[in-house]
Amino acid sequence: MKTVKHFDNLIIGAGLSGISAAHYLQKRSPHRSFAILERRGEIGGTWDLFKYPGIRSDSDMHTLGFAFKPWVGVKAIADGPDIMAYLQETVDELALNEKIVFHRTLVAADYDSARAIWTLVIQNETTAEAETWTCNFLHLCSGYYDYDEGHAPTFKGQDIFEGQIVHQQFWPENLDYAGKRVVVIGSGATAITVVPAMAETADHVVMLQRTPSYVVELPAKDAFANRLRKWLPSGFAYAVTRWRNVLANLISYRLARRYPQRAKSYLLKEMEKHLPREYIKQHFTPSYNPWDQRVCVVPDGDLFKSIRKKRASVVSDRINHFTQDGILLKSGEQLSADIIVLAIGLKLNVFGGAQLSLDGEPIVSGDLVTYKGMMFGGVPNLAVTTGYTNSSWTLKADLVSEYIGRLMSFMDERQYVECVPELDDPGMGRENAINFTSGYVQRASHFLPKQGDRWPWKLAQNYALDIRQLRFGKLNDGVMRFRRHGEPINSGSYAKLDRGVS
């Protein structure tokens, strides 16, 4: 096994989270050595992975963009290529190209408490060799999607279908769907993006769903932001727009959770501007409350326009089986198709699929309790970036990165080599850290980390509150334990916590 030199910090993943982590580490702890390991051959993470038609943000770019890098594009709901260009420009400006090592997959990592060192097994995807990397602090920024597998259930009769079956996560290059009959299975953000994009040239596109999702129209261009940028410096205009959108989202989310029936009525009433009431009742009226699952964005009402123009339609039914030329539904209706797109959700994993251990003992992800939404009780020198479920991912990613940069500086000033959140109440109530009813979350519930019933073990899902707690809150808060070389190992190890010992 090839040995690679040691770094103070290793960042796993060169997407939004990894770029943010590198920026704040350079800013807060510029003396620290670090590298970014990226399994793919390009930066971008999710935005490099997905190639389906119409791929775009489902959050506005004034909040999905970095706090430190203004988004100056005309479109607030941006296309995938524009987002990739923004990320590459950020990497160039931060001089991160030389810090990124491509084609490196984290396979396993073990923390040695005696040395306060992580030892990583890294697969070199170019040479197929295993490499050993070591670091003092490990920051996982690879998100929670399984990049190797998507959720793809097998349907009865699937083998006899004579057309082409395409999965959202593995989109074939140059797929020709012009003039073709397309069925898109799914009702989430991907389906709602793919359907109007394919409908522009396909003969007809059917969105086949078991159950509806909430959808809301937003303008692709933010007129307020574009006007403001004409009169104010771009950085200041960006900050104003960012906070305007953050507060608007925060208020609407809180109101929706407090008054779910009113929120439901409002969303359905808004849809009547675009589609007939009976159509909405049949195909766009979910049985759950708003924000039990993520609300899907329809920029400039493109999906509704496709439906009104009869370029697309929605069918709410269950699949009986595939046929040679399409799908037979439980109702007996036959959907003819040349191409069937599986847009039925993603598969989640934790730690980017790597196996983590502490002093040789495996770390069981489903037993972990999250600390401040970024670290875990009893696990030293490890951070994981997970964005908000009710707002833009990058809002939380930036706060996590800023916190970790501040934490590194705090430790170096005091010559600490280890930090570990100590959970002193094994009987604390616990629930999944990602608390959504969406299928992709429920399928992963058994291995997702948990959250507690109070701060700092419970996620706020509130950007304004997290700013106060993460940007300005104490690092030495009585829960985080610190250690210098030669001092006794902290008692709050994961192994002990797992046995119920505080």
Side-chain angles (χ1 to χ4, degrees):
M1 184 178 289
K2 184 179 178 181
T3 301
V4 180
K5 68 178 182 178
H6 173 83
F7 288 89
D8 293 321
N9 288 60
L10 281 176
I11 298 167
I12 308 301
L16 281 164
S17 302
I19 294 169
S20 175
H23 165 73
Y24 284 103
L25 189 61
Q26 286 187 144
K27 180 180 179 180
R28 294 280 187 167
S29 300
H31 57 283
R32 281 202 157 228
S33 64
F34 75 93
I36 306 171
L37 304 184
E38 169 56 50
R39 65 176 299 181
R40 302 170 66 79
E42 301 288 341
I43 66 163
T46 296
W47 297 105
D48 177 60
L49 174 68
F50 293 107
K51 305 291 186 183
Y52 54 78
I55 180 159
R56 54 171 172 76
S57 61
D58 65 348
S59 302
D60 73 280
M61 288 304 299
H62 300 97
T63 56
L64 187 63
F66 300 114
F68 55 86
K69 167 70 174 172
W71 172 261
V72 295
V74 175
K75 281 188 175 182
I77 307 297
D79 301 329
D82 290 337
I83 297 173
M84 282 293 292
Y86 168 80
L87 294 179
Q88 186 59 63
E89 186 176 274
T90 305
V91 166
D92 292 341
E93 290 176 359
L94 296 176
L96 292 178
N97 289 291
E98 62 185 26
K99 299 287 189 179
I100 303 172
V101 184
F102 292 107
H103 303 294
R104 297 301 195 282
T105 299
L106 175 62
V107 177
D110 180 70
Y111 185 77
D112 184 339
S113 296
R115 298 190 301 143
I117 294 291
W118 283 98
T119 299
L120 286 64
V121 177
I122 301 294
Q123 176 77 13
N124 184 323
E125 301 296 346
T126 302
T127 65
E129 293 180 341
E131 301 173 346
T132 300
W133 295 61
T134 60
C135 65
N136 298 98
F137 194 94
L138 179 61
H139 191 170
L140 303 180
C141 296
S142 50
Y144 49 47
Y145 293 148
D146 188 327
Y147 276 30
D148 296 320
E149 288 185 55
H151 177 59
T154 300
F155 296 97
K156 182 181 177 183
Q158 187 170 320
D159 292 342
I160 68 172
F161 176 60
E162 295 180 349
Q164 190 169 1
I165 298 175
V166 176
H167 193 281
Q168 64 182 70
Q169 190 166 321
F170 307 103
W171 201 269
E173 190 174 355
N174 301 320
L175 176 68
D176 181 15
Y177 51 86
K180 303 288 181 65
R181 301 165 300 173
V182 180
V183 174
V184 178
I185 302 175
S187 61
T190 302
I192 285 173
T193 298
V194 167
V195 168
M198 298 187 77
E200 292 180 4
T201 55
D203 176 60
H204 188 81
V205 182
V206 175
M207 186 171 85
L208 173 59
Q209 60 181 17
R210 288 193 304 175
T211 55
S213 300
Y214 287 106
V215 297
V216 61
E217 182 197 15
L218 286 180
K221 297 179 181 179
D222 188 328
F224 173 83
N226 291 338
R227 283 198 303 269
L228 203 63
R229 207 161 46 243
K230 291 180 180 179
W231 297 100
L232 297 174
S234 61
F236 185 66
Y238 179 68
V240 171
T241 304
R242 185 179 178 88
W243 268 107
R244 166 184 172 264
N245 293 354
V246 164
L247 292 174
N249 179 76
L250 182 62
I251 291 169
S252 63
Y253 173 78
R254 294 298 168 188
L255 289 174
R257 299 308 284 171
R258 187 170 183 177
Y259 305 106
Q261 288 306 311
R262 292 185 185 180
K264 182 173 184 176
S265 297
Y266 172 78
L267 290 172
L268 298 181
K269 191 71 176 177
E270 283 295 298
M271 287 200 63
E272 291 182 13
K273 298 176 181 178
H274 308 284
L275 296 172
R277 183 176 300 176
E278 190 59 36
Y279 202 91
I280 296 168
K281 183 178 180 180
Q282 185 176 2
H283 300 304
F284 290 98
T285 305
S287 58
Y288 56 87
N289 289 327
W291 288 109
D292 283 349
Q293 299 181 23
R294 195 172 175 94
V295 176
C296 300
V297 171
V298 179
D300 292 336
D302 57 3
L303 174 66
F304 308 138
K305 292 175 184 176
S306 297
I307 293 171
R308 291 199 303 269
K309 292 177 181 178
K310 301 191 184 304
R311 304 289 303 176
S313 57
V314 182
V315 173
S316 300
D317 205 336
R318 291 180 176 269
I319 295 171
N320 191 358
H321 63 267
F322 281 31
T323 64
Q324 285 183 321
D325 61 351
I327 298 173
L328 181 67
L329 303 176
K330 292 286 187 181
S331 63
E333 182 182 355
Q334 169 77 29
L335 297 180
S336 298
D338 302 302
I339 299 172
I340 295 174
V341 177
L342 304 182
I344 46 181
L346 301 158
K347 186 176 178 182
L348 303 188
N349 65 20
V350 291
F351 311 142
Q355 300 297 313
L356 268 57
S357 56
L358 176 55
D359 295 323
E361 292 292 326
I363 295 175
V364 181
S365 58
D367 292 341
L368 296 174
V369 182
T370 185
Y371 166 82
K372 296 185 178 179
M374 71 183 81
M375 299 179 73
F376 302 105
V379 182
N381 292 11
L382 174 73
V384 177
T385 294
T386 303
Y388 291 119
T389 57
N390 63 343
S391 192
S392 294
W393 177 279
T394 320
L395 291 174
K396 183 63 179 289
D398 273 347
L399 288 179
V400 170
S401 299
E402 186 177 4
Y403 179 94
I404 296 303
R406 191 161 64 100
L407 178 64
M408 297 298 98
S409 180
F410 176 86
M411 291 176 64
D412 290 344
E413 288 172 1
R414 292 157 180 80
Q415 297 183 323
Y416 292 132
V417 296
E418 182 179 272
C419 61
V420 54
E422 189 168 10
L423 179 57
D424 59 2
D425 184 5
M428 181 176 59
R430 303 182 185 188
E431 61 182 46
N432 279 338
I434 303 177
N435 199 8
F436 259 6
T437 62
S438 304
Y440 69 95
V441 175
Q442 296 304 309
R443 288 190 296 270
S445 61
H446 62 288
F447 62 76
L448 290 176
K450 306 300 186 287
Q451 63 176 329
D453 56 16
R454 62 183 180 275
W455 178 259
W457 307 105
K458 187 174 180 62
L459 278 67
Q461 295 292 351
N462 183 318
Y463 180 63
L465 183 59
D466 279 342
I467 281 183
R468 187 182 76 183
Q469 294 171 330
L470 300 183
R471 182 175 293 169
F472 302 110
K474 290 183 178 180
L475 295 169
N476 192 1
D477 59 1
V479 176
M480 185 79 84
R481 306 300 183 193
F482 297 95
R483 180 170 67 95
R484 297 183 177 90
H485 270 307
E487 293 182 343
I489 294 172
N490 284 296
S491 62
S493 71
Y494 166 77
K496 290 184 179 180
L497 288 173
D498 197 36
R499 299 187 183 99
V501 179
S502 63

